[in-house]
Structure formats: C-alpha cells, structure tokens
C-alpha cells in the first residue's frame, strides 16, 4: 500500500524519511488502541462517514461507507501563509516560528500534550454508547465524532514526532497508554476522566466539553508556532460538526421533553418516558462546570507567559483585536478575599484564561436561548439556565470554596445539603440509563428524543447511516 494510502497527508511525509518511519511505527500501536478502546461492538460495520481528504474549503471531505478500523486517519494542515508573522505578545511582528524556539520548548510541549490527550480520552469515554443509540442517525454521528477525535490525535502526534525529538516520541507513546477514568493512569484533564455512559451525557459532553476544545483550538490557531496554528485551523473545520451534534442533541431532548409534558396529565414528562427538565438542568450544571475548569485558573502566570511568547492568543486574536501587546491593560475579576466576594484588578495578560472562558460562556448562553425557544414553541413554560461560573469548580479561584447555583458563597455543609438539587444524582443517572434502549431501524427514533430537522449531507433521516 502506498504511503499516502496508509497515512493521507499534505505535509510531504514521503519527503521526511525519519518522520515517516516514526509514524509508521506508531500506526499499529494506534490501531491496537483503537480496537481495544474505540467504539465497542461496531468495528466491523459499514458506517457512512466523512473523511478529510484535503484542506480545500470546497470538497475537503469525502462521504462514504467505511469500517472504522479502515478509516483513513490523516495529517492535514492549513496551507502556510507567505511571510507569516507572530501575531501578538512580546515578539509580535517577528517571523512566525517554523521550529520550536528553545526557550519555549517546555511550554509548547505542554500545550500540545494537553490538547492531544483530550482526543483519545473522549473516544474512550464514549466507547460504549453505540449499544444504546436512539437512532441510526445518532449512531453515525457518534462514530463520526469518534473517528475525527482519532484524527485529531494523529494531527497532534505528528507535531510531537516532527518537532519535539525524543521527548515527542515518548509523549506520543504515552497518548496510547493513559486511559480515561483509570485511577493508575488517568487522562490529564478531569473532564476527560468523567464517565460519559448515556446519551444525555454524550450530548452534554459534545455541547459543553467539545466547545471548550473549540476555544482552545481557536486560541492555538493564532499561535506564532506556525505548524501548530495551521494544524488547529484545520481541526476546527471538523470540530464544528461535533458542536452541532451536541447542541442539536440536547436541543432535541429538550424539545421532546416539552412535547411529552404537553401530552401528559400534570405536565410530567417522566410519566411518558421523557427526561424531565430538572434532570436535564442537572446534567447541564455538571458538564458546564467541569468544562469551565478546562480553561484553567482565573489568574494565571502560564496564560501570561504563553501570550507573551506568542504561543497562545485570544479567541480570534487577529480578526477581533487591533492591539496585540496587552502590556498596559488590566482586567477586573471577581475573587474570594477574606471569606467574601470582591473585585480585583489584574494585568490583562494574567487574566487571559478568564477572557477566553468569557467567550465560551457567551457561546453557551446562545445555545441555552435556542433551547428555551424550543420549549416555548411547544407551549411549555420553563427556562433552562446556566449556573454561575463559580458554581462547582475544581480549578482556579473558586475551587476551594462553595457556591450555590447563582454564585453566592455558601458553606460546604450547605452545598452538600443542596447538592442533589444541582448535580445529577444516582437516581437521575439510573433513570436516564433506564431509557437507553437501542433503536436501529432506519427512520425510527427513541421516545425520549425528537428527530433531527434534517439528515446528514443531503441524506434523509431515514437513510441507513450504519449497516448493521
Ligand atoms: Fe478533537
Ligand atoms: Fe471534538
């Protein structure tokens, strides 16, 4: 088989024998990991999947039936811009880094490794969901997300192998050794160690946790380390579909709940096998808060260093901003001081995690508004809400304190006493789990979720997206 068949790429892999050998050695280990930790029970089935085949805006993807182990995981970077420059920070205006600058090597490795680790982690988290799919359409979307997270791992492993020498090779191997949720060798970030074992979890995960990925990738797509920027720019093209799966997935559950409420005496969705809004709300609270942690501490010297070095910018740094130095600016944020909430002004560069988190929160609010519109359309009076960004945090300023849903400081005892109202209970999870029965007849859908508005890529919902 030709190299380009085995590892599709636009990085002239055949012109770099050392790299080619390294990736060809990594390939069988990756496939072994995929067979062991990838989607359980469907490896031999034909799935109608999108495969990245180039980086042309028109026609970058090819749709066809493919068995997942035969998916052509490839390495694609957005084409290089002529005369690319570092876009921000202390070296703004200097030629973009084509190799890893020695003084930033550790920082960059850490950035790449942390991002890379999330990709296989999510595949592991989602590996058993196929067995309880609500429809063939959803089953296909799950697998689409899974194979593309696999491709994202390839994209990041390419960077590790090509630019980080021996350390990079070791890090690439470690990607296949850690396991989501395993206490002895966990994945790096906590959201990626949380179980994702029912479809409401899956939709919340792709809505809230993949959306963190969008913002991290967008910040890295601005990077002065050009190979990283170009890699992330192309990953974002695929990521949009993952967010679509999450946002419309939760939206369809929400709509169905409202429909079932209207049909049920006393507006009790549970009565007709739906997922009540209070359960959905608790799932939202859970995934939103864990995903906020992924942005890092509110006040962060790492964020300042990454910006100063030109490694990690703001969301749409070049498009949205004209001032790219941030030497004099400051940012006022809320902190806990002497047992109460107060405002503190910090240098802007130190607050960039919080700035990125703010972009993310606004994006989430937009989705919540849309879901609430669905509820109103069905004639039900109810509003879903996002909790305060201080609620249920495990990283940053608020991690060592307790807050209620609205962000008021409370005691640990009070939090524990009210926890079951805010976060999914065992009973919630068991109830949702009890609804999860596979529906695999083309055109049919589980009772707890509404069908999608349209199918994929011009195909109808009834299309046989997975041949079982
Ligand atoms: Fe990804
Ligand atoms: Fe994703």
């Amino acid at each position: 088989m030709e190299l380009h068949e085995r590892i599709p790429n636009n990085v002239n892999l055949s012109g770099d024998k050392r790299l080619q050998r390294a990736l060809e050695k990594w390939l069988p280990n990756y496939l072994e990991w995929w067979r062991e930790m990838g989607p359980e029970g469907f490896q031999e089935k034909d799935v109608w999947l999108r495969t990245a085949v180039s980086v042309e805006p028109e026609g970058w993807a090819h749709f066809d039936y493919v068995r997942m182990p035969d998916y052509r995981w490839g390495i694609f970077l957005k084409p290089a811009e002529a005369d690319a420059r570092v876009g921000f920070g202390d070296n703004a205006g200097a030629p973009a880094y084509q190799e890893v600058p020695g003084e930033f090597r550790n920082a960059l490795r850490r950035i790449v490794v942390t991002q890379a680790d999330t990709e296989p982690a999510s595949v592991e988290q989602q590996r058993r969901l196929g067995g309880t799919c609500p429809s063939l359409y959803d089953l296909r979307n799950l697998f689409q997300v899974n194979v593309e997270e696999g491709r994202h791992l390839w994209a990041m492993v390419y960077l590790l192998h090509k630019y980080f020498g021996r350390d990079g090779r070791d890090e690439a191997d470690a990607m296949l050794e850690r396991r989501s949720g395993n206490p002895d060798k966990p994945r790096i970030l906590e959201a990626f160690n949380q179980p994702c074992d029912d479809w409401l979890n899956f939709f919340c995960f792709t809505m809230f946790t993949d959306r963190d990925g969008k913002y991290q990738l967008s910040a890295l797509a601005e990077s002065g380390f050009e190979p990283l920027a170009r890699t992330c720019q192309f990953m974002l093209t695929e990521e949009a579909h993952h967010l679509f799966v999450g946002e419309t997935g939760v939206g369809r559950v929400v709509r169905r709940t409202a429909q079932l409420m209207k049909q049920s005496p006393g507006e009790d969705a549970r009565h007709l096998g739906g997922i009540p809004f209070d359960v959905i709300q608790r799932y939202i609270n859970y995934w939103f808060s864990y995903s906020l942690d992924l942005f890092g501490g509110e006040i962060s010297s790492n964020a300042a260093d990454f910006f100063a070095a030109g490694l990690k910018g703001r969301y749409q740094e070049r498009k949205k901003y004209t001032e790219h130095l941030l030497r004099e600016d400051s940012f006022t944020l809320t902190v806990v001081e002497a047992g109460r909430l107060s405002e503190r002004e910090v240098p802007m560069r130190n607050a960039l995690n919080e700035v990125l988190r703010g972009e993310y929160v606004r994006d989430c609010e937009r989705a919540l508004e849309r879901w609430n519109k669905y509820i109103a359309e069905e004639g039900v009076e109810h509003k879903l809400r996002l909790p305060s960004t201080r609620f249920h945090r495990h990283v940053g300023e608020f991690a060592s304190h307790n807050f209620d849903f609205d962000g008021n400081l409370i005691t640990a005892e009070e939090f524990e006493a009210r926890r079951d109202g805010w976060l999914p209970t065992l009973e919630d999870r068991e109830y949702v789990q009890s609804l999860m029965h596979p529906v695999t007849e083309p055109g049919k859908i589980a009772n707890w979720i509404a069908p999608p508005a349209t199918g994929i890529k011009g195909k109808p919902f009834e299309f046989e997206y997975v041949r079982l």
Side-chain angles (χ1 to χ4, degrees):
M1 208 199 277
E2 291 290 310
L3 174 65
H4 190 78
E5 286 290 309
R6 289 193 307 274
I7 310 175
N9 69 89
N10 71 344
V11 295
N12 187 23
L13 195 52
S14 56
D16 185 340
K17 291 295 169 205
R18 187 196 62 78
L19 178 63
Q20 183 186 326
R21 270 197 303 276
L23 288 174
E24 284 183 321
K25 227 176 118 191
W26 192 79
L27 173 64
N29 298 336
Y30 170 82
L31 286 174
E32 199 184 303
W33 167 81
W34 177 268
R35 287 195 179 272
E36 189 196 326
M37 296 310 294
E40 192 178 88
F42 294 88
Q43 300 275 357
E44 302 310 319
K45 304 298 179 195
D46 283 327
V47 187
W48 199 69
L49 290 175
R50 165 176 92 173
T51 304
V53 290
S54 83
V55 292
E56 301 305 319
E58 300 302 320
W60 63 271
H62 175 75
F63 286 77
D64 206 350
Y65 285 106
V66 55
R67 288 163 65 250
M68 285 185 277
D70 299 336
Y71 191 78
R72 294 172 69 224
W73 284 284
I75 301 164
F76 294 101
L77 277 63
K78 270 269 165 72
E81 280 170 42
D83 194 34
R85 302 269 153 181
V86 177
F88 53 88
D90 294 341
N91 300 327
Y97 319 129
Q98 300 300 336
E99 293 291 332
V100 178
E103 69 267 43
F104 306 144
R105 189 183 172 83
N106 286 340
L108 258 178
R109 193 179 76 193
R110 183 171 160 182
I111 288 172
V112 173
V113 165
T114 308
Q115 177 62 42
D117 190 64
T118 67
E119 314 289 356
S122 65
V123 174
E124 294 168 355
Q125 285 168 292
Q126 297 162 12
R127 63 187 296 261
R128 293 216 168 87
L129 289 169
T132 57
C133 63
S135 73
L136 283 186
Y137 164 93
D138 290 291
L139 186 62
R140 176 265 171 206
N141 283 348
L142 166 70
F143 295 154
Q144 184 70 63
V145 169
N146 292 159
V147 292
E148 285 176 350
E149 302 305 7
R151 202 203 69 76
H152 293 174
L153 175 60
W154 269 93
M156 290 282 145
V157 158
Y158 158 75
L159 294 176
L160 288 170
H161 273 292
K162 171 134 179 124
Y163 296 98
F164 293 89
R166 198 201 164 83
D167 296 353
R169 287 200 296 282
D170 291 346
E171 296 285 10
D173 290 343
M175 291 300 155
L176 304 177
E177 285 156 13
R178 287 185 287 271
R179 291 287 182 271
S180 175
N182 185 317
D184 299 326
K185 41 179 186 177
R187 292 294 173 181
I188 295 169
L189 298 168
E190 268 322 294
F192 293 87
N193 287 309
Q194 305 303 315
C196 190
D197 46 9
D198 66 56
W199 280 76
L200 185 56
N201 273 325
F202 171 65
F203 291 133
C204 286
F205 182 94
T206 36
M207 164 69 205
F208 292 107
T209 308
D210 271 73
R211 194 171 304 272
D212 156 74
K214 169 186 166 180
Y215 285 85
Q216 301 302 333
L217 291 175
S218 298
L220 296 176
E222 304 284 339
S223 183
F225 177 46
E226 228 219 347
L228 175 63
R230 290 163 52 209
T231 300
C232 292
Q233 285 159 16
F234 187 65
M235 287 163 75
L236 281 165
T237 323
E238 293 163 310
E239 204 59 48
H241 177 66
H242 308 182
L243 305 184
F244 164 86
V245 169
E247 183 174 336
T248 58
V250 178
R252 289 159 53 210
V253 177
V254 165
R255 186 184 286 286
R256 185 62 181 153
T257 295
Q259 289 169 348
L260 292 171
M261 283 170 75
K262 286 311 270 186
Q263 295 167 21
S264 162
E267 293 206 338
D268 181 5
R270 198 181 284 253
H271 190 73
L272 293 177
I275 306 179
F277 283 138
D278 61 321
V279 176
I280 298 174
Q281 181 69 59
R282 287 192 283 275
Y283 272 61
I284 291 173
N285 300 347
Y286 180 86
W287 285 107
F288 179 66
S289 56
Y290 267 114
S291 302
L292 291 175
D293 283 339
L294 297 171
F295 290 83
E298 279 68 15
I299 304 172
S300 165
S301 57
N302 273 336
D305 292 346
F306 292 168
F307 187 86
L311 301 180
K312 184 176 177 186
R314 288 169 291 181
Y315 179 62
Q316 299 189 332
E317 177 76 39
R318 278 164 240 220
K319 201 170 137 195
K320 263 182 70 166
Y321 299 94
T322 49
E323 207 282 316
H324 302 290
L325 299 182
L326 301 184
R327 281 208 182 96
E328 313 295 327
D329 305 51
S330 60
F331 188 86
T332 304
L333 41 74
T334 305
V335 295
V336 181
E337 251 163 359
R340 47 190 213 89
L341 290 172
S342 62
E343 311 260 273
R344 189 191 300 168
E345 199 173 297
V346 300
M348 180 61 94
R349 286 183 177 187
N350 291 80
L352 290 177
N353 287 343
E354 183 64 7
V355 172
L356 193 60
R357 188 165 19 235
E359 299 276 2
Y360 167 84
V361 171
R362 278 188 288 283
D363 196 7
C364 292
E365 279 167 352
R366 180 198 48 74
L368 267 282
E369 269 170 41
R370 179 170 294 196
W371 299 341
N372 284 330
K373 218 179 95 207
Y374 298 159
I375 301 175
E377 279 169 10
E378 298 298 335
V380 172
E381 246 182 82
H382 186 90
K383 273 198 181 349
L384 295 165
R385 290 171 58 210
L386 290 177
S388 162
T389 53
R390 295 190 284 277
F391 171 78
H392 190 236
R393 293 288 304 280
H394 298 83
V395 169
E397 284 296 304
F398 308 120
S400 48
H401 303 279
N402 291 278
F403 298 88
D404 68 10
F405 180 91
D406 294 305
N408 301 304
L409 254 175
I410 54 173
T411 63
E413 293 72 40
E414 197 178 351
F415 185 88
E416 283 313 315
R418 299 175 67 186
R419 169 189 281 271
D420 287 358
W422 289 326
L423 294 166
T425 62
L426 189 59
E427 196 203 343
D428 291 342
R429 292 182 188 282
E430 283 173 356
Y431 176 68
V432 173
Q433 200 55 255
S434 77
L435 302 176
M436 299 290 128
H437 301 291
V439 176
T440 54
E441 207 179 311
K444 292 275 162 44
I445 188 148
N447 176 55
W448 52 269
I449 184 169
T454 55
I456 293 291
K457 187 75 180 166
K459 300 285 185 205
F461 173 65
E462 299 75 27
F463 182 67
E464 192 176 11
Y465 289 100
V466 184
R467 289 182 181 145
L468 297 176

